[in-house]
Amino acid sequence: MAAPYAALVMDARSGKVMHARNADTRLHPASLTKMMTLYVAFEAVQNGEISMDTTVKISTHAASEPPSKLGLRAGQKIKLRYLVRAAAVKSANDAATAIGEAIEGSEAAFARRMNRTAKALGMTRTSFRNAHGLTESGHLSTARDMTILGRHVIYDYPMYYNLWSRKTADAGIKTVSHTNRRLLSSYRGADGIKTGYTRAAGFNLVASAERGRERVIATVFGGRSTASRNAKVAELLDLGFKRAPTRVAFRAPKKPPYRGSGRGKTVVVEAPAPKPTAKPGARAKSVRVASAAVTRSLRPQARRIKIPDTSRMVADVQDDIESVLKEVQNVAAVAPTKPGIAPAASVKPVIRPAGVAVAAVAPRDVASPSRKAEVVTRLSTSGGRHWGINVGRYPSRFAAEKVLLKTALAETTTLDGSLRKVVKGKRGFDANFMGLSRDTAELACKRLQARQVTCFMIGPG
């Protein structure tokens, strides 16, 4: 028979277990399950399968989930970021199901992905059947496995970790309150992570707290009430801080390799063959891009954009940059960021004076008086950064520069340090980012495609 109570205490910095009781007994995890639901969601966002701004249409199945719930209606449309907040803070079952369906198409397919991820994380005695944690045959885990998952939640996606400690959050259609704000308010250093309750499971909790250089994770299964469970977790956290050394070698958990979506396919885009002057042994380049988000032509149609009068060019550019900055600042205000890293929009770009072009600097040993100046903003010369991406062809240089600026500000994670370059061709002006490594270019394209921005890679040569 399943043990009515299980617990584990871990030093989060090293992964060392400092206390365990029935830690490997398979029990009902209840809403601790949502740690895995959101872990997979963060992975999908990070790798461009979906974005926090993706609009999700709520299915009848998701809307019909029993409480706790956000109150979503079938057919309703809501951004993924609000579903994530509702699942993390309120532990909303309808939001969790909607997240799974948005990423994998169905809750069953999403549960299979949860199990693949659990195995990759080393959760050897866990099996998921749904995205929310309501009692279902075979939906089981252990105190040890959930502590392992909690540690990965903290260190694998630290930019999202603050979600777990928000006492309230804007979930789009309403403001929701944290399911365990009492412990967050009463225990010094507590900053997450997740509660869970069903009749079969009892009162479960994975909690983490940080004091100075020490961080401890304590997990309890089978509590008899919210108050008794919180008291037990506080006792276990105290035990952990008492036993944890002040200084210890930090060993971050190994992040599992990204294996993509279960329903994703692969698109191969052939780049031009190497030029005759290429080095011996050069081979044709092919670019592999996950196509879960590719739903339209890689080359956009030329857009009809009214070109402003030259007398208004400086003012229009000024207004456009300020509007783009406001958009990015609004996104940064609601999107979690990694501690210690300022939001992308916090640095305001310098406005170029009208009629002045910034030319790429030619090598000192090459005379270039006759070379035509190229309008660029950044130049990267790091080794191996010979790839680029194209984000469209436009009828004017002004329109192409506008798109480059907006894209660079919105996607600083992968495009920081790249060169923004407008290339004039017979059919228009190509908006390119150059000076990227192959991996960075591929990831940038996937992330942009998840935002419904057309993108294709440009190989060396």
Side-chain angles (χ1 to χ4, degrees), residues 136-151:
E136 187 172 341
S137 177
H139 189 95
L140 300 168
S141 187
T142 69
R144 187 183 306 276
D145 281 0
M146 281 296 158
T147 308
I148 290 172
L149 175 57
R151 186 168 183 247

Side-chain angles (χ1 to χ4, degrees), residues 38-51:
L38 295 181
Y39 184 93
V40 174
F42 299 152
E43 177 188 58
V45 170
Q46 182 70 26
N47 289 280
E49 293 179 52
I50 197 170
S51 85

Side-chain angles (χ1 to χ4, degrees), residues 359-372 374 379:
V361 180
R364 293 183 180 180
D365 58 343
V366 179
S368 58
S370 61
R371 292 181 61 187
K372 186 177 180 180
E374 295 179 344
L379 184 61

Side-chain angles (χ1 to χ4, degrees), residues 169-404:
D170 175 14
I173 62 175
K174 66 173 70 172
T175 298
V176 295
S177 298
H178 200 286
T179 55
N180 198 31
R181 51 193 180 278
R182 291 182 180 177
L183 183 69
L184 290 174
S185 300
S186 62
Y187 192 87
R188 182 168 62 89
D191 56 11
I193 305 178
K194 190 73 192 73
T195 61
Y197 168 77
T198 62
R199 290 183 179 180
F203 292 83
N204 298 350
L205 175 61
V206 176
S208 178
E210 184 177 40
R211 293 179 180 176
R213 298 179 179 179
E214 301 168 15
R215 177 176 286 280
V216 174
I217 304 174
T219 298
V220 166
F221 275 61
R224 295 185 179 182
S225 68
T226 299
S228 65
R229 175 200 64 193
N230 287 356
K232 187 62 180 179
V233 166
E235 177 186 330
L236 292 174
L237 288 171
D238 286 342
L239 179 150
F241 283 116
K242 182 178 180 180
R243 295 183 180 180
T246 301
R247 296 180 181 274
V248 67
F250 174 70
R251 297 184 180 88
K254 186 177 180 181
K255 190 174 181 179
Y258 173 65
R259 303 185 186 280
S261 171
R263 59 176 180 171
K265 297 180 182 178
T266 300
V267 172
V268 179
V269 181
E270 295 295 336
K275 296 180 180 180
T277 56
K279 295 180 180 180
R283 56 186 178 84
K285 304 295 190 300
S286 63
V287 181
R288 293 188 174 271
V289 180
S291 66
V294 180
T295 57
R296 50 181 173 167
S297 170
L298 291 176
R299 172 73 69 176
Q301 297 297 321
R303 302 178 185 177
R304 295 183 179 179
I305 299 178
K306 184 178 180 181
I307 308 303
D309 295 335
T310 55
S311 61
R312 290 284 302 161
M313 181 66 74
V314 174
D316 287 345
V317 171
Q318 173 74 46
D319 293 342
D320 183 67
I321 288 177
E322 290 180 353
S323 65
V324 170
L325 285 172
K326 288 179 181 178
E327 291 179 26
V328 178
Q329 286 169 340
N330 289 337
V331 173
V334 297
T337 58
K338 188 172 182 179
I341 299 180
S346 64
V347 181
K348 189 171 183 178
V350 177
I351 310 302
R352 293 196 303 273
V356 179
V358 182
V361 180
R364 293 183 180 180
D365 58 343
V366 179
S368 58
S370 61
R371 292 181 61 187
K372 186 177 180 180
E374 295 179 344
V375 178
V376 299
T377 49
R378 276 193 203 157
L379 184 61
S380 174
T381 57
S382 3
R385 296 169 68 91
H386 306 305
W387 290 74
I389 63 173
N390 176 284
V391 291
R393 177 175 292 166
Y394 302 91
S396 70
R397 182 177 297 275
F398 174 79
E401 289 177 346
K402 174 181 175 180
V403 171
L404 285 173

